[in-house]
Amino acid sequence: MASAPNKFWGGASSSSGSDSDDSSEDQPQVQAAQAAPRRQMARWAEESSSEEEQAQKRVVRSHTDKRYEQLMERIKLMKNHIKIDDFGTLITDYEAILKMLEKLRMVVEQDGGPPNGFIKAIYTVETYVEKTHLELTEKKQSKGEKLSENKQRAFNTLRAKVRKGNRQFQADLDRLKDHPEEFESEEEKEAASGGSDSESDKASSGSSSGSDDSSDSSSDSDSDSDSDSDSDSSGSSSESDSYKTGGSEDSDDDADTEAAREKKMLRWLITPDKLAEREKKAAAARQKEEENKLKDQEKRDRKKKTDDGPKQERVAKKGEKEPDEYSPDELMKKVTEVAQQRGRRGFDRKQYMDKLSQLMVHAAKQGPRAQLYIYSSMVSADFDNTGSAFASMKIENWNEALDKVNKMLPLLVASFQEMKESGADETTLAAGGEGFSDSEDPRSHARQQELFLAFVEKLDDELYKALQFMTDVYGTEYMEILGNCSKFLVLLKRTLKFMEDTKQQQHLGVIAMRLMEQLYYKPDTLNSAVYEAIHFTLPEEEKPDWVWPEDSRAFIGKLTRYAYATGAVRMQRRACLCQAYHLAMHDHFQVARDLLHLGKMQEEALEQDVHTQILYNRVLAQMGLCAFRLGKIQEAHNCLMDVCMGNKARELLAQGLSFSKNNDRTEEQEKAERLRQLPYHMHVNLEVLESAHHICAMLLEVPNLAMQSIDPNNKRILSRVLRRALDQYDKQPFTGPPENAKEAVVCAAKALQRGDWQSACSALEDLKIWDHIHPVVPENGAKIKEMIKEKIKTEALRTYLFAYSSIYDAFHLDQLVGMFDLPPKTVHSIVSKMMIKEEITAFWDESSKFVLVQHAEPSPLQRLALTLADRGAQAVENNERLVDQKTGGYGFREQRPNQGQGRWEQDGGGRGKGRFGKGGGMQMMDGKGGKGKGRGKGVVTGTGGPPKNRGWENARAGAIRGSIGASGTGQRGWATNAAPARPPA
């Protein structure tokens, strides 16, 4: 066996063949002598190896190497997510590797392209996505199976991002498909070669054991000399023989330990090869350090160029000369190169626009599609700074983008003509050129037309957002932004005409919907003025298109049909609602109501998004105002009640945030509510809305209250809002003049309950509703006010008849005409309708000049019951007087037996204080009672005395009925104690 010290110090082996001839007795001494230094040197070698490991930990790697390793690790992670079909995480992984590659752009530019591992990774994702898409399509067609909604949305997003992201690496992906061996890494090549070697080793597995020993010894010695390997093999022949012949386990372990120690010591052997390798590493480190310094210097220079502006860059690139002509591919490559600067650090928008403007000269020579491609890149840069969800685009940038989009439209028309002349069929033309040319080509007509429509919609959204979040709605800035709506209207109308000429139904519906949303909430007078102002700013050939049609219903209907042709459900419903709003604004109530009912908009609006629900609420409000203007009080109240109930009109119409103590919102809910607020110029006047609602409620509820006083079985409530307001008015200790519209309507309602129509009309005289109720013709407010006065007179007559018909035997027609200032025919018609509906029990006499009221005669049982009620009431009154004289208060109530067991239980406020009529009039009532509860219903008639005391008789009978019919809780009788006012003779 060779001596370890000679190997360690690099000396030659001095062992001779005589060592093998020594006796077995000398071997233990030799082994003991060699073991001691071997253990010391092995220990020293192990310590040195640990120091080497520590030194390796301190190796400083460049920032680029670290990013490259992170890229490779993220690619491995992405492959794992592909195995488990995690689409949502794959989107994040794909975007992350694209960003990592962007950070390595300096290295990518130097190397001439992205790393092979990156290209293989995105190719793997693309193949996986397309394969999954085919599988899902087959499953859906054959078995009807499909992914969940969230997973399908994530997969569609992943597929779109992969198709868009891989487009810029298409050349590398094509090369990978054609020559996959060029993208194999060195490890994969070595693995492939190693696999072939192992196969050849398996084929020659029947070789001799001597060759195995030589291969083992050669693998153990790392770059040793031939003499060392020979001496080792000759010196350890006995140990290898004993191992192969099945020696003891201790000898095997010693041999393995010795071999490991020898390898560790050989690391410290200094050879010329190792010296040369160290020098190469040092030179590479120095070169890398210099490269890093150069990169830092380049970054500083680039930053300085950005700060100095485009002038210095032109000076720096003075040596470079722009070519006189560009081929289409070269121009596209140049534009793409410039467009890739967007989003980078130090991006200068003005310099970016200057570069693309210089290329526009070359694009003009190549046709409209090349120009469209450059314009789309410029407009996209304008939309980069659109702000957040609560911050709109600057109006200066918006105007610049609008100018560029206006320039794109003639180019789009020229591109369509080229496609038509090149032989495209009608189906292809109607589809916007889809499938006619290469769909992946960004300069194709279909791609550019989609971008153009997207830009139009984006301009509309940003203008809406600018008006939506403007705080000072009365300032000049809001007016300036609002003035830009006319500019955008010109673009929409021109685009609509282009789509009509080319018969592209899908795109035509989208533009028609956008145009309708700009016009539906404006009256014809305003739209006509806007069209007239635009008419004088356009060339002669376009002026005929800018005359507002006299029949705006037909124009809005045509836009609605365009929207319906798209087949999009949400667009169809919104178009229908916009049309109904426009009809209701122009007093076409019947048509608007039929449109809503036939389309089942109430049920469908609840199933749509919140913006469609807001539009439905706006339609209801406008239809209520329309019915109010037309005198349809019942229909107006039905429409306005849904919006104004619960004081939530502001919130339902998205015209502001409603704040209440019981309504606590989270921050996310408040943000969402702010995002759906309407611009100020689209608001419906809430004061007009509430005033109309209260007036309708007054005209319906006051006669209903009067009718319920004679018919307690009628418990119908038409307006809880007005009833609550009347109760609050009655509870006030002092009532002053009205301060707002609601209080004015309540005062009018109180006067109407008395039949005083003059006071009711004077209370409503000065309301602001009459100046703003008619948006189309404001002068019609006076006519509407006169119509409401007539309604008030009519309802005052009905209320008077309900309240006082039980007191009189007859009413003279001329007397009613004089009291309520109505024509005789109108009074006759009103009274006749009340008779037909059995609201009053009366009939006309032969001359039709008197209304004869029918009173039911009491039966004998009713007379006896009334007598009993009178005597009981007298006994209760006598007892209360005696108790009051002794205690000075209502002691009888305090000392009464358990509740419900006393013979008379009645609230003190329900005591009747009426008197018998002097003429001996009969008073009878019929009553029903049981178990302490009862309800009285009586009719008072009299023949002997003057009619002026019959009111008191009725009051007394009502009090008695209240005492008998009261429940155990002391409920009050329904008859009132106040005598009604006698009408003038």
Side-chain angles (χ1 to χ4, degrees), residues 429-598:
L429 294 175
E434 293 183 1
F436 182 72
S437 58
D438 187 8
S439 60
E440 297 297 331
D441 186 7
R443 295 171 297 181
S444 63
H445 176 82
R447 294 285 301 278
Q448 291 302 319
Q449 182 169 284
E450 289 178 1
L451 282 175
F452 175 79
L453 293 175
F455 292 153
V456 172
E457 293 181 354
K458 185 67 174 176
L459 286 171
D460 191 9
D461 295 339
E462 290 299 324
L463 183 62
Y464 183 88
K465 196 191 300 182
L467 294 168
Q468 182 182 17
F469 295 114
M470 181 61 63
T471 54
D472 186 11
V473 295
Y474 296 104
T476 57
E477 187 177 358
Y478 188 87
M479 299 304 171
E480 291 176 0
I481 298 174
L482 193 59
N484 290 321
C485 291
S486 59
K487 300 179 184 178
F488 182 68
L489 200 61
V490 174
L491 175 62
L492 282 178
K493 196 72 183 298
R494 288 173 176 173
T495 308
L496 182 73
K497 189 174 185 303
F498 167 65
M499 295 302 172
E500 286 178 340
D501 295 341
T502 56
K503 299 179 181 180
Q504 302 181 42
Q505 290 187 354
Q506 196 69 26
H507 301 319
L508 180 60
V510 175
I511 297 300
M513 189 68 223
R514 293 282 178 171
L515 181 59
M516 193 187 305
E517 288 178 349
Q518 293 284 334
L519 301 175
Y520 81 95
Y521 61 90
K522 299 175 185 176
D524 283 346
T525 53
L526 181 57
N527 281 327
S528 178
V530 172
Y531 267 53
E532 186 178 359
I534 297 174
H535 177 83
F536 293 105
T537 61
L538 296 177
E540 291 294 332
E541 60 271 12
E542 294 187 23
K543 285 186 177 181
D545 297 333
W546 289 97
V547 177
W548 183 253
E550 294 182 0
D551 186 9
S552 60
R553 296 170 53 187
F555 178 64
I556 297 296
K558 182 178 72 171
L559 297 179
T560 306
R561 289 192 295 273
Y562 288 157
Y564 259 84
T566 60
V569 177
R570 182 179 183 274
M571 190 179 298
Q572 290 175 348
R573 291 173 180 173
R574 289 187 64 85
C576 182
L577 291 173
C578 290
Q579 185 182 11
Y581 188 99
H582 188 79
L583 292 170
M585 178 177 286
H586 296 85
D587 294 341
H588 302 293
F589 176 79
Q590 194 70 30
V591 182
R593 187 183 65 178
D594 294 344
L595 191 62
L596 289 185
H597 287 178
L598 293 175

Side-chain angles (χ1 to χ4, degrees), residues 375 379 399-411 452 456 459 487-488 490-492 494-495:
Y375 271 127
V379 177
N399 282 316
E400 292 179 7
L402 179 65
D403 293 339
K404 296 183 182 68
V405 175
N406 275 322
K407 293 177 183 178
M408 290 178 67
L409 185 57
L411 297 173
F452 175 79
V456 172
L459 286 171
K487 300 179 184 178
F488 182 68
V490 174
L491 175 62
L492 282 178
R494 288 173 176 173
T495 308

Side-chain angles (χ1 to χ4, degrees), residues 44 403 458 552 670 694 717 731 954:
W44 187 73
D403 293 339
K458 185 67 174 176
S552 60
E670 187 171 352
H694 292 146
I717 299 176
K731 292 178 182 178
N954 189 29

Side-chain angles (χ1 to χ4, degrees), residues 32-191:
Q34 291 177 353
R38 183 185 294 274
R39 283 194 297 269
Q40 294 176 0
M41 287 181 289
R43 187 184 305 115
W44 187 73
E46 289 174 357
E47 293 174 357
S48 301
S49 64
S50 63
E51 292 176 0
E52 183 182 3
E53 291 174 359
Q54 293 179 1
Q56 288 178 355
K57 290 181 180 179
R58 297 193 191 98
V59 173
V60 179
R61 293 179 298 171
S62 66
H63 198 57
T64 304
D65 294 341
K66 291 180 181 179
R67 285 181 174 174
Y68 183 78
E69 290 182 3
Q70 292 175 359
L71 176 64
M72 293 297 110
E73 291 175 0
R74 195 57 183 256
I75 289 174
K76 291 180 181 178
L77 188 62
M78 184 177 66
K79 291 180 179 179
N80 293 335
H81 291 152
I82 288 175
K83 296 177 181 178
I84 60 175
D85 295 336
D86 192 351
F87 304 133
T89 313
L90 277 174
I91 296 172
T92 307
D93 294 338
Y94 185 77
E95 292 176 346
I97 64 174
L98 289 179
K99 290 180 181 178
M100 290 178 179
L101 185 69
E102 181 66 22
K103 294 178 180 178
L104 291 168
R105 62 179 182 276
M106 297 296 296
V107 179
V108 171
E109 293 174 358
Q110 292 177 2
D111 294 344
N116 294 340
F118 174 81
I119 299 299
K120 293 179 69 176
I122 62 175
Y123 177 72
T124 303
V125 176
E126 182 180 0
T127 307
Y128 164 73
V129 167
E130 296 303 327
K131 181 180 178 183
T132 307
H133 178 66
L134 292 175
E135 292 177 355
L136 293 175
T137 306
E138 292 176 358
K139 288 182 180 179
K140 186 175 181 180
Q141 293 177 353
S142 60
K143 302 180 181 179
E145 298 179 0
K146 59 181 181 179
L147 297 174
S148 62
E149 184 178 357
N150 294 335
K151 206 163 185 179
Q152 185 66 41
R153 189 185 298 111
F155 178 73
N156 293 339
T157 305
L158 174 65
R159 187 165 178 257
K161 286 184 178 294
V162 170
R163 295 180 67 182
K164 182 179 179 181
N166 286 10
R167 201 171 294 151
Q168 54 184 329
F169 308 106
Q170 192 60 43
D172 295 327
L173 291 173
D174 295 339
R175 192 158 54 90
L176 173 61
K177 295 176 184 178
D178 298 337
H179 307 286
E181 64 277 359
E182 296 181 4
F183 289 83
E184 291 183 356
S185 62
E186 296 180 359
E187 296 179 357
E188 293 176 348
K189 293 179 181 178
E190 291 177 0

